[in-house]
Amino acid sequence: MMLLAVNVDLQTDATLQVDISDALSERDKVKFTVHTKSTLPNFKQNEFSVVRQHEEFIWLHDSFVENEEYAGYIIPPAPPRPDFDASREKLQKLGEGEGSMTKEEFTKMKQELEAEYLAIFKKTVAMHEVFLCRVAAHPVLRKDLNFHVFLEYNQDLSVRGKNKKERLEDFFKNVVKSADGVLVAGVKDVDDFFEHEKTFLLEYHNRVKEASAKSDRKIRSHKNAADDINRIASTLYTLGTQDSTDLCKFFLKVSELFEKTRKIEARVAADEDLKLADLLKYYLRESQAAKDLLYRRGRALVDYENANKALDKARAKNKDVLQAETTQQVCCQKFEKISESAKQELIDFKTRRVAAFRKNLVELAELELKHAKGNLQLLQSCLGVLKGDT
Amino acid sequence: MRSTGSYAHQRCVACAQNISNQKLVQGILDSIPSPEAACLSAEDISPSSNGPRDDDPDDLFAEATEEVSLDSPERQPILSDGPSPAITPVTPVMISPRVDVFDRSPDQDEDEEENRDTFDIQISVSDPEKVGDGMNAYMVYKVTTKTSLSIFSRDEVCVKRRFSDFLGLYSKLASKYMHMGYIVPPAPEKSIVGMTKVKVGKEDLSSVEFVEKRRSALERYLLRTVKHPALLKDPDVLQFLESSELPRAVSTQALSGAGILRMVNKAADAVNKMTIKMNESDAWFEEKQQQFENLDVQLRKLHASVESLVCHRKELSVNTASFAKSAAMLGNSEDHTALSRALSQLAEVEEKIDQLHQDQSYADFYLISELLGDYVRLITAVKGVFDQRMKAWAKWQDAQVMLQRKREAEAKLQYANKPDKLQQATDEIREWEGKVQQGERDFEQISKNIRREVGRFEKDRVKDFRVVIIKYLESLVHTQQQLIKYWEAFLPEAKAIA
């Protein structure tokens, strides 16, 4: 299935195109079929596919993060782990409660939950695909060797989940990083551009987090309301079949109406989820990646300044000067390299962000309009029939 | 951004002075009326004055407990300058609900061919105000009747009634008519929890809503009562609507609508348990009882679902408002100017939509949920009436059994040769023959009454549901139209991001 990345605006070109052409959900894992089309000489064929699991995506992402060469780039955020737990739990509960509801109700609810499962599935596929597309679109990352191995090597990458020791190390690394982050953030940058970016990103990230959480809650309420309408439609149907008065036709017609409007309401919630909630979630992750970049630059700056101080000291003592000079030069180059690419990355980030928001907000508005008009038409036509009967 | 304060204000408007329930619903359809006079002043109103009409939902405990005092605040009939004709959502929005006028006594025979004269009677319940002070204070409602019917002494009457007065009216009507097979509309339920909140004096959202809910329920109750042709002419009803002073209903706790129904149900259960299965010779009754049973189940289910919907829509409204705020914040921190502006616009749209959801949840509630609640209670009354018929049948059967026994006793005495006792036995036989005949007559009469009542009830039910559902769908239409308006305004803003 081809699910185009909806929340990222990407330039794809013919030299390297990546997508997830298929996916299979098994007991506790998802298998993605990664399909590549490329004219690059690096690959043995022009078109090929491999099967990958979530851990292998994470491995690829982490390899980028740990690569010093890429310190000056915004590393595309890793896709979140596929999480079907909630959906599976609901399906299970439904199975347990089968005895307590009518056959029609059970079938209906089962269909609902299956649709929900499918929606989550589609989303996770989309998010994994977006990650790959971002890498493929990046002028430097697309050349990464690990990336090529990921795309082409048709055996299992044997990337086991990090063992306990490694996970602990990660944990401590993160702790140090956040302490540093505070430190680095406190130092005012000489460069206005980066100073502005720092302030902007810190605030922006928090606001996006807030908006993302609130939009999730809103959409959940919407789904709950749609579920209620579903139940109302069912009961109206029963009333319609039982009623001995003229109301029976009335109830049946209204039941039919609510069935349809309920579906539309569910679509509205789903579209809001896709166009708004997912967008916000994605930019939450991307803004974090951008912050990480700033942090790395900040670290490099600190290293550079330390190297300068060390050099001065060495010169003063006239001891190990050459070594200090070399270190200082290395640090300087590193810092300048990062700064240069970081600047471009951050500008690109803004461009991408604005384009993605524009696309999604426009599509959101268009979908809302489409659904509202659909709803309106259903309601008006039903009203016409009902009023005509009296 | 709207603060919580103004939320309360918006809702207060609904219960404020001159806005009836009808306007509340209409307001949802047209647009919320502009915030008007201060809703809730804490002025005490002394019982002896007519007092200013400020709303003050500080009602007190007295309502929920037994009332023992007999003194009533002096109420002076005030010619109404007040609210426009208030027709509840239950009846058509036109001025004159069509109701059958039976100008015959309830005992007369007349079934299908009734004279359908149109007449008009409008009743509104409005202006809840607190009377008295401290623990003994209570809520008083203004009941306005506008009519051209001759049984009323004036075209327009205003009286003040408190909740227990309504309950008292219901208990009187139930005791008079239920055993004859009349479906007497039940009064609204007491609510200790609800009233306590109101009484505690906090003029907050929930107590304001509670008072409005009750006011609306009382209005619907009266309208249903007068729609019943026999009840309309009942002297207690007339007195309730017209007389400036009403003797206080004593001990209304036991006589609350729920209390009466409970009594009836208990009696019914007793009847069911003690009698042999009634030989239902009339399939109509069996069929109808089953239908009402089914209807009861489904209406309750529907009611529960609608209540859930009301709740979730309110939640949706709150969450949308919250999201709107966060979107505005995001817009503020966005450093791309056009996108920043678009996000602010999005926040505004969402804020408007949250108001829409709120209004819709109001419609959900006042139109559908309350209607369903009313009908669940009405059907209990209908079932009660069927049980009364069973009771009548049982009485008739018992009389027959007794008669048989008396005859056997007489036969025995004939052999025993006790002349004076024989005479007594013969007299008793005659007595019981009379009772049997009366029992049969009563049973026939109640059966006939029930047939007629059920016919009328069903007609009303059809009308009520039709009207309400259509109105509800219209509210849904309005919501969608507004949504279209908002998103159409937003779309060019989103496209303008460059």
Side-chain angles (χ1 to χ4, degrees):
Chain A
M1 77 188 87
M2 283 281 287
L3 278 170
L4 291 178
V6 287
N7 42 17
V8 187
D9 183 45
L10 297 168
Q11 263 77 8
T12 49
D13 62 273
T15 52
L16 182 60
Q17 278 177 358
V18 184
D19 66 86
I20 295 182
S21 59
D22 197 7
L24 186 68
S25 165
E26 284 183 358
R27 191 106 275 254
D28 55 351
K29 56 188 168 212
V30 182
K31 293 197 172 134
F32 304 95
T33 304
V34 179
H35 166 250
T36 312
K37 252 188 180 159
S38 173
T39 55
L40 292 175
N42 323 50
F43 301 111
K44 296 197 194 75
Q45 296 167 294
N46 282 355
E47 192 169 348
F48 47 90
S49 292
V50 295
V51 176
R52 293 283 173 248
Q53 290 183 37
H54 176 71
E55 287 74 24
E56 291 162 311
F57 286 76
I58 300 301
W59 163 81
L60 182 61
H61 170 264
D62 290 351
S63 76
F64 291 151
V65 170
E66 286 156 14
N67 190 332
E68 287 278 329
E69 286 297 308
Y70 302 143
Y73 307 124
I74 295 180
I75 309 295
R81 197 181 70 86
D83 184 10
F84 296 99
D85 289 344
S87 188
R88 233 179 255 131
E89 209 182 290
K90 276 196 220 168
L91 269 167
Q92 192 173 13
K93 265 208 201 119
L94 179 68
E96 283 164 12
E98 184 173 355
S100 68
M101 55 180 90
T102 70
K103 189 149 178 269
E104 292 84 27
E105 278 175 5
F106 178 75
T107 320
K108 233 201 215 177
M109 289 212 68
K110 184 150 169 280
Q111 280 173 350
E112 296 281 312
L113 287 178
E114 282 172 354
E116 202 180 291
Y117 192 93
L118 187 63
I120 297 175
F121 183 68
K122 280 190 183 162
K123 255 209 236 185
T124 191
V125 169
M127 293 201 258
H128 285 75
E129 191 178 74
V130 160
F131 170 70
L132 293 178
C133 292
R134 279 269 279 123
V135 175
H138 194 283
V140 174
L141 293 176
R142 75 201 322 233
K143 298 186 199 146
D144 182 85
L145 191 62
N146 282 337
F147 184 49
H148 291 186
V149 166
F150 177 94
L151 290 176
E152 203 179 18
Y153 185 61
N154 57 13
Q155 306 285 324
D156 192 350
L157 287 175
S158 296
V159 167
R160 71 270 184 279
K162 294 184 174 171
N163 60 27
K164 205 178 198 171
K165 175 164 172 283
E166 283 181 344
R167 257 182 264 172
L168 265 173
E169 278 177 4
D170 273 347
F171 172 72
F172 283 118
K173 249 195 263 169
N174 276 330
V175 170
V176 168
K177 191 158 117 175
S178 47
D180 273 2
V182 170
L183 202 87
V184 163
V187 174
K188 185 162 168 28
D189 206 309
V190 165
D191 187 333
D192 277 344
F193 174 82
F194 283 103
E195 184 57 28
H196 165 83
E197 286 296 311
K198 191 164 57 184
T199 322
F200 163 70
L201 273 173
L202 281 172
E203 191 187 58
Y204 187 79
H205 178 80
N206 287 337
R207 301 276 171 95
V208 165
K209 196 189 257 177
E210 182 85 7
S212 172
K214 298 279 162 71
S215 88
D216 281 346
R217 226 175 289 157
K218 172 172 90 97
I219 290 166
R220 208 183 350 263
S221 294
H222 211 138
K223 284 198 184 123
N224 286 341
D227 285 342
D228 287 327
I229 299 177
N230 197 13
R231 251 168 266 140
I232 290 171
S234 294
T235 314
L236 280 175
Y237 180 78
T238 312
L239 272 171
T241 54
Q242 281 177 356
D243 206 290
S244 53
T245 67
D246 285 342
L247 281 180
C248 63
K249 273 180 282 165
F250 206 80
F251 284 143
L252 287 175
K253 198 91 192 57
V254 177
S255 164
E256 191 189 329
L257 169 72
F258 282 163
E259 274 293 333
K260 295 197 188 120
T261 60
R262 196 253 337 151
K263 285 204 175 81
I264 295 186
E265 289 298 324
R267 288 300 310 281
V268 169
D271 285 340
E272 284 178 354
D273 197 22
L274 209 58
K275 299 294 171 191
L276 198 54
D278 280 355
L279 174 73
L280 292 170
K281 279 199 200 78
Y282 185 81
Y283 277 93
L284 180 63
R285 295 202 301 277
E286 270 253 15
S287 56
Q288 181 62 50
K291 272 174 34 178
D292 291 345
L293 170 61
L294 281 182
Y295 162 76
R296 288 194 294 271
R297 177 179 171 275
R299 259 251 73 85
L301 179 60
V302 167
D303 288 347
Y304 179 34
E305 284 172 353
N306 287 346
N308 272 339
K309 286 189 197 133
L311 180 57
D312 288 343
K313 236 197 249 169
R315 281 196 179 133
K317 288 187 188 161
N318 206 5
K319 187 178 169 201
D320 291 325
V321 172
L322 193 61
Q323 187 181 23
E325 271 176 355
T326 322
T327 312
Q328 192 256 25
Q329 259 179 14
V330 163
C331 283
C332 175
Q333 275 168 358
K334 184 175 170 200
F335 173 68
E336 279 172 0
K337 180 170 171 233
I338 290 182
S339 285
E340 194 183 316
S341 62
K343 192 165 194 166
Q344 190 56 47
E345 287 282 303
L346 288 168
I347 291 171
D348 288 345
F349 173 60
K350 182 165 173 175
T351 314
R352 269 202 313 276
R353 181 176 81 244
V354 172
F357 268 80
R358 183 189 188 281
K359 178 168 185 280
N360 277 33
L361 287 177
V362 167
E363 285 175 359
L364 175 71
E366 285 172 345
L367 283 166
E368 295 270 5
L369 272 172
K370 173 175 157 210
H371 293 317
K373 286 184 178 154
N375 244 341
L376 180 66
Q377 205 246 344
L378 281 172
L379 286 166
Q380 280 175 329
S381 96
C382 181
L383 260 176
V385 170
L386 293 178
K387 279 181 173 167
D389 272 349
T390 26
Chain B
M1 306 288 172
R2 225 191 356 243
S3 68
T4 347
S6 64
Y7 263 110
H9 198 196
Q10 294 268 22
R11 284 185 172 85
C12 283
V13 168
C15 82
Q17 318 271 338
N18 298 318
I19 298 179
S20 68
N21 184 48
Q22 195 259 350
K23 273 210 181 141
L24 167 67
V25 174
Q26 209 62 45
I28 293 163
L29 297 183
D30 299 337
S31 68
I32 299 294
S34 59
E36 297 186 347
C39 350
L40 310 160
S41 82
E43 247 184 284
D44 281 342
I45 300 156
S46 83
S48 58
S49 77
N50 288 329
R53 289 207 184 300
D54 297 311
D55 289 339
D56 194 340
D58 286 85
D59 199 356
L60 308 164
F61 292 102
E63 288 267 352
T65 59
E66 295 221 353
E67 288 132 337
V68 288
S69 80
L70 286 175
D71 52 25
S72 57
E74 186 176 345
R75 302 181 187 110
Q76 302 191 355
I78 298 136
L79 286 176
S80 154
D81 54 5
S84 62
I87 313 289
T88 70
V90 176
T91 57
V93 186
M94 300 166 326
I95 301 298
S96 19
R98 255 150 238 258
V99 176
D100 304 326
V101 174
F102 300 107
D103 41 9
R104 51 179 175 80
S105 76
D107 312 272
Q108 274 180 27
D109 284 351
E110 229 185 272
D111 271 335
E112 320 317 330
E113 287 310 310
E114 294 118 1
N115 284 336
R116 283 170 196 269
D117 304 325
T118 51
F119 68 92
D120 73 307
I121 173 166
Q122 307 156 37
I123 300 186
S124 72
V125 174
S126 60
D127 306 330
E129 54 181 271
K130 173 178 154 192
V131 170
D133 200 3
M135 293 295 276
N136 292 324
Y138 51 88
M139 283 300 265
V140 144
Y141 302 85
K142 184 166 97 164
V143 179
T144 311
T145 310
K146 285 188 190 161
T147 176
S148 65
L149 291 175
S150 52
I151 46 175
F152 287 89
S153 56
R154 284 201 294 280
D155 282 356
E156 202 170 308
V157 194
C158 270
V159 294
K160 291 207 184 161
R161 296 284 177 256
R162 53 188 292 186
F163 185 69
S164 56
D165 294 335
F166 290 79
L167 298 184
L169 175 66
Y170 170 72
S171 78
K172 287 198 200 120
L173 295 176
S175 60
K176 276 201 259 185
Y177 295 103
M178 214 188 282
H179 71 271
M180 292 203 296
Y182 283 68
I183 301 170
V184 180
E189 299 275 326
K190 272 189 189 271
S191 165
I192 294 181
V193 173
M195 277 323 275
T196 310
K197 271 198 235 159
V198 169
K199 285 159 186 173
V200 161
K202 274 202 325 191
E203 296 167 2
D204 72 341
L205 214 49
S206 65
S207 50
V208 167
E209 282 184 345
F210 174 80
V211 171
E212 171 53 29
K213 182 177 166 181
R214 171 161 283 190
R215 184 210 62 77
S216 169
L218 290 173
E219 194 174 84
R220 293 194 307 271
Y221 164 67
L222 286 181
L223 276 167
R224 282 209 179 88
T225 303
V226 299
K227 256 209 279 192
H228 193 298
L231 298 180
L232 172 60
K233 297 188 331 189
D234 182 280
D236 283 319
V237 171
L238 293 174
Q239 185 190 42
F240 180 91
L241 291 176
E242 286 195 310
S243 89
S244 52
E245 294 221 11
L246 208 64
R248 280 298 316 284
V250 173
S251 185
T252 49
Q253 189 177 45
L255 296 180
S256 73
I260 292 265
L261 287 179
R262 252 178 270 127
M263 263 170 29
V264 168
N265 285 337
K266 255 188 266 161
D269 288 338
V271 166
N272 290 340
K273 283 190 190 109
M274 80 183 182
T275 52
I276 328 147
K277 185 178 183 310
M278 173 173 168
N279 298 328
E280 188 56 79
S281 54
D282 195 339
W284 184 92
F285 282 90
E286 205 165 319
E287 199 185 305
K288 279 296 164 193
Q289 267 185 289
Q290 188 56 51
Q291 280 172 1
F292 280 113
E293 197 59 48
N294 294 343
L295 188 60
D296 191 28
V297 167
Q298 294 306 320
L299 284 184
R300 280 176 200 270
K301 211 165 152 196
L302 191 59
H303 190 213
S305 297
V306 172
E307 284 190 319
S308 176
L309 176 62
V310 169
C311 185
H312 284 139
R313 250 209 251 273
K314 277 201 186 130
E315 224 175 72
L316 177 57
S317 164
V318 166
N319 288 342
T320 306
S322 170
F323 172 70
K325 285 201 185 85
S326 71
M329 298 280 274
L330 184 62
N332 281 348
S333 67
E334 172 59 62
D335 67 350
H336 184 273
T337 332
L339 178 55
S340 169
R341 191 173 52 235
L343 285 169
S344 303
Q345 304 281 16
L346 179 68
E348 273 182 38
V349 166
E350 293 287 342
E351 205 191 321
K352 289 198 197 118
I353 289 177
D354 107 65
Q355 183 63 49
L356 263 186
H357 286 312
Q358 207 180 299
D359 294 345
Q360 185 60 64
S361 86
Y362 254 17
D364 294 344
F365 180 73
Y366 279 106
L367 288 176
I368 303 290
S369 181
E370 289 285 80
L371 173 78
L372 290 172
D374 286 350
Y375 266 90
V376 164
R377 277 198 304 279
L378 276 168
I379 287 183
T380 310
V382 171
K383 294 206 288 191
V385 140
F386 277 96
D387 290 337
Q388 291 290 322
R389 177 174 171 270
M390 292 233 299
K391 216 167 135 195
W393 182 84
K395 198 167 166 198
W396 174 30
Q397 296 304 305
D398 288 349
Q400 284 182 325
V401 165
M402 197 52 119
L403 176 63
Q404 184 59 26
R405 262 192 229 143
K406 297 294 176 188
R407 285 199 173 129
E408 284 167 7
E410 195 220 22
K412 280 203 199 112
L413 284 174
Q414 293 239 333
Y415 287 116
N417 200 9
K418 291 185 184 146
D420 45 328
K421 284 213 172 134
L422 193 57
Q423 183 56 44
Q424 184 188 354
T426 321
D427 289 340
E428 281 180 357
I429 287 177
R430 226 179 304 270
E431 186 195 334
W432 281 96
E433 276 172 351
K435 283 196 179 151
V436 166
Q437 280 174 358
Q438 184 62 45
E440 186 176 2
R441 269 202 300 275
D442 287 345
F443 178 70
E444 307 266 285
Q445 186 60 51
I446 195 177
S447 299
K448 188 166 20 198
N449 286 346
I450 291 180
R451 275 180 186 266
R452 196 185 57 231
E453 284 288 287
V454 165
R456 193 183 54 82
F457 178 82
E458 290 287 74
K459 274 203 199 90
D460 284 346
R461 180 165 76 88
V462 170
K463 193 160 64 180
D464 281 355
F465 273 81
R466 257 211 188 112
V467 165
V468 166
I469 288 180
I470 286 182
K471 214 160 178 167
Y472 180 65
L473 293 185
E474 284 171 348
S475 83
L476 291 176
V477 163
H478 175 257
T479 300
Q480 295 304 316
Q481 285 169 333
Q482 290 299 103
L483 276 175
I484 290 173
K485 207 165 79 178
Y486 298 150
W487 288 110
E488 272 177 350
F490 175 73
L491 188 55
E493 299 287 338
K495 286 189 170 154
I497 303 170

